[in-house]
Amino acid sequence: MTIFFAEMIGTLLLILLGDGVVANVVLKNSKGHGSGWMVITTGWAFAVAIPALIFGSYSGAHFNPALTIAFAVIGKLTWSQVPIYLAGQFLGGFLGAVLVFVQYYDQFKSTDDKMDKLGVFATIPAVRNNLINFMSEVIGTFVLVFGILGIGGQNLVNGVGTLCVGFLIWVIGLSLGGSTGYAINPARDLAPRIAHALLPIPNKGDSDWKYAWIPVIAPIIGGVLGAVSYTMFL
C-alpha cells in the first residue's frame, strides 16, 4: 500500500502543478494569462521534480505508466507490482485534475474557448496528423526513459539525479513538446481527460476521444524502446 499511496499522491501533485500551470497560462482572468510556453514547460519540469524528491524513496517516483511498464520489461520491476503502480497513477491523475478544476473554477467560467479548456486537462496536437503525432510521442517518451535510466546510472549525490530528471522534462518540453504538447505519460493525459469528460466545466466542449489513444499507446511504446535500447547498448 505504500507504493500505491506514494504513486497516487505523487501523481496527484504532478497533475495539480502541471495542469495547474497550463490553466494559469491559457485561461482568461488568471494572473499568468498569456505568459507562454516557457512558463508551461518550466512549471511541468518542477511539477515532476518536486513530487519525485518527496516520494522517490517510497516507490521510485514513477508517476507514469510508460515508465512503470518499461521498467517491468527490462526487469527493474516485477510484473506483479505493475497494477499497483498503475492504479495509483491513474487515480492520482484524476484527483489532481479535479483539484485544478476547483482551483481555477472562475477562470474556466471566464474562458470561452473550448479547446483551451480541454488543453488544461489533456494534450492537443498543434497539427493533427495521427502518424506524426504518434511518432512525436514515441520519440519524446524514448528520450524520457532512456534519459532517466542514464541519469540513474551515474554516481550522483542523493537528490541531484531527481533534479536532473526535472531538467530532462524541461528540455523535452522545450525541444520536442511543440508538436503534441508532450504527454509522454498515459496517466498525465488519460486520467485528466476522463476528469474533463465528467466534471461540470462551464461551457466545455467534447473530450476529443478520437485522439485520446495516441498519448496512451505511443508513450508506452516509446518508453519500452528507450528502456530496451539503454540496456542493450549501455
Side-chain angles (χ1 to χ4, degrees):
M1 293 304 289
T2 298
I3 290 173
F4 172 81
F5 282 112
E7 289 293 303
M8 182 188 74
I9 299 170
T11 311
L12 183 155
L13 287 172
L14 183 151
I15 296 300
L16 174 61
L17 298 174
D19 283 2
V21 72
V22 179
N24 190 25
V25 171
V26 305
L27 298 180
K28 291 183 178 179
N29 293 334
S30 174
K31 295 285 188 179
H33 179 64
S35 51
W37 189 244
M38 180 62 77
V39 172
I40 289 175
T41 56
T42 305
W44 267 108
F46 288 133
V48 173
I50 298 304
L53 283 169
I54 297 170
F55 294 105
S57 61
Y58 295 98
S59 68
H62 294 187
F63 313 144
N64 184 341
L67 181 61
T68 298
I69 292 170
F71 276 15
V73 167
I74 63 172
K76 283 187 169 290
L77 188 73
T78 63
W79 282 102
S80 63
Q81 291 179 299
V82 169
I84 300 170
Y85 275 85
L86 267 57
Q89 291 158 5
F90 281 107
L91 179 58
F94 179 85
L95 295 175
V98 171
L99 291 178
V100 172
F101 169 65
V102 173
Q103 178 79 15
Y104 284 97
Y105 179 78
D106 288 330
Q107 285 70 34
F108 278 109
K109 287 177 62 178
S110 301
T111 301
D112 297 323
D113 193 310
K114 294 178 172 62
M115 294 303 285
D116 282 347
K117 294 177 183 180
L118 174 60
V120 171
F121 296 92
T123 56
I124 302 169
V127 177
R128 194 166 293 255
N129 179 330
N130 281 355
L131 177 59
I132 298 300
N133 300 154
F134 189 92
M135 292 305 300
S136 296
E137 289 292 329
V138 169
I139 292 167
T141 317
F142 179 101
V143 173
L144 174 68
V145 174
F146 191 95
I148 287 173
L149 288 168
I151 292 168
Q154 308 309 309
N155 186 22
L156 300 174
V157 175
N158 195 27
V160 172
T162 302
L163 293 177
C164 289
V165 171
F167 287 127
L168 176 62
I169 298 292
W170 196 9
V171 75
I172 289 171
L174 290 173
S175 302
L176 305 175
S179 55
T180 62
Y182 71 117
I184 59 175
N185 180 345
R188 171 266 175 275
D189 191 282
L190 181 58
R193 195 182 295 269
I194 293 170
H196 175 272
L198 297 178
L199 288 169
I201 302 166
N203 195 33
K204 69 178 177 181
D206 68 62
S207 301
D208 195 14
W209 292 109
K210 290 182 180 179
Y211 180 77
W213 66 277
I214 291 177
V216 173
I217 303 301
I220 293 172
I221 294 173
V224 170
L225 290 175
V228 171
S229 296
Y230 184 85
T231 57
M232 285 178 62
F233 298 113
L234 295 172

